Amino acid sequence: MPLIQITMGAGRTTEQKRELLAAISQAAHETTGTPLAAVRAWIVEVPADELMIAGETLAERQSAGNAH
C-alpha cells in the first residue's frame, strides 16, 4: 500500500488540494498497479509564515503577489 505525504505551504483552496490528492492517488495506482482503494495520500500544510523561499517567507511572497 503506497503511503504518500505531500508537504506544502498553506494557501491552496480545498478544491485544489482535493484535485492534487486525486491526481497523486491515480498516478500511484497506475504506476504501481496498487488498487486505488489501497493508496493513501495526505497533505501536511506548513503555515505561510514558517516556510522560507529564497530569504523571504511564503507569507511575504503571497502578500507581494509572488505566491507559490
Side-chain angles (χ1 to χ4, degrees):
M1 154 184 3
L3 302 171
I4 305 163
Q5 178 173 303
I6 303 159
T7 304
M8 63 186 193
R12 271 80 174 194
T13 67
T14 298
E15 182 59 28
Q16 289 171 319
K17 291 184 280 188
R18 189 199 178 294
E19 289 180 19
L20 175 60
L21 288 168
I24 295 280
S25 297
Q26 186 65 32
H29 160 67
E30 291 173 5
T31 58
T32 67
T34 302
L36 191 56
V39 176
R40 305 291 186 263
W42 63 93
I43 294 172
V44 174
E45 288 187 295
V46 178
D49 61 346
E50 295 179 13
L51 176 61
M52 184 155 283
I53 305 159
E56 95 186 307
T57 67
L58 178 57
E60 292 166 339
R61 292 173 65 90
Q62 288 171 337
S63 68
N66 301 324
H68 313 298

